[in-house]
Structures are given as C-alpha cells and as structure tokens.
Amino acid sequence: MFYHGSAADAVTQGVEIAKTTDGQTLTDVVWQQNEGLRLHVDGSTNQPGEYRTQPEWQVNMGY
C-alpha cells in the first residue's frame, strides 16, 4: 500500500525509491511520516504461524 496523508492506495505501478541524474550519486527518496510504502496484511485471512517473504525489486530506466 502507498500511504499519502490519511488515505492509502494499492501499489499497482512503480514507486520511486531512489533517483539520480547523469554524473551524480544516487539519492534516496525520503517520505514524510504519514506517507510512503507500507506492508498491508489482510486481517480477515491471516492464520497463526511464522511467515517469511523476500521483496523483489526491479530497476526501470536504470543502467
């Protein structure tokens, strides 16, 4: 989910997490406290247990 203010939307497109321009070093994108990416777990279907996952990142328009 991507939070912005008091609302949230499912992430269906890319979200910028870092940026740079030619000849410059990579700069992190920092969101404010009440915005940005967050994990959402559907509370109606979770079961007790131990879970693990690994996020998958994809670089678009990068070299």
Side-chain angles (χ1 to χ4, degrees), residues 6-55:
S6 60
D9 298 311
V11 176
T12 58
Q13 297 181 352
V15 175
E16 186 176 89
I17 58 169
K19 62 183 174 182
T20 189
T21 55
D22 288 343
Q24 301 296 316
T25 58
L26 190 64
T27 304
D28 294 337
V29 172
V30 179
W31 295 295
Q32 300 298 319
Q33 184 177 6
N34 62 346
E35 66 177 16
L37 291 176
R38 296 187 186 171
L39 176 65
H40 171 74
V41 178
D42 182 353
S44 65
T45 61
N46 35 344
Q47 298 290 321
E50 183 175 320
Y51 299 89
R52 294 181 184 179
T53 188
Q54 181 173 340

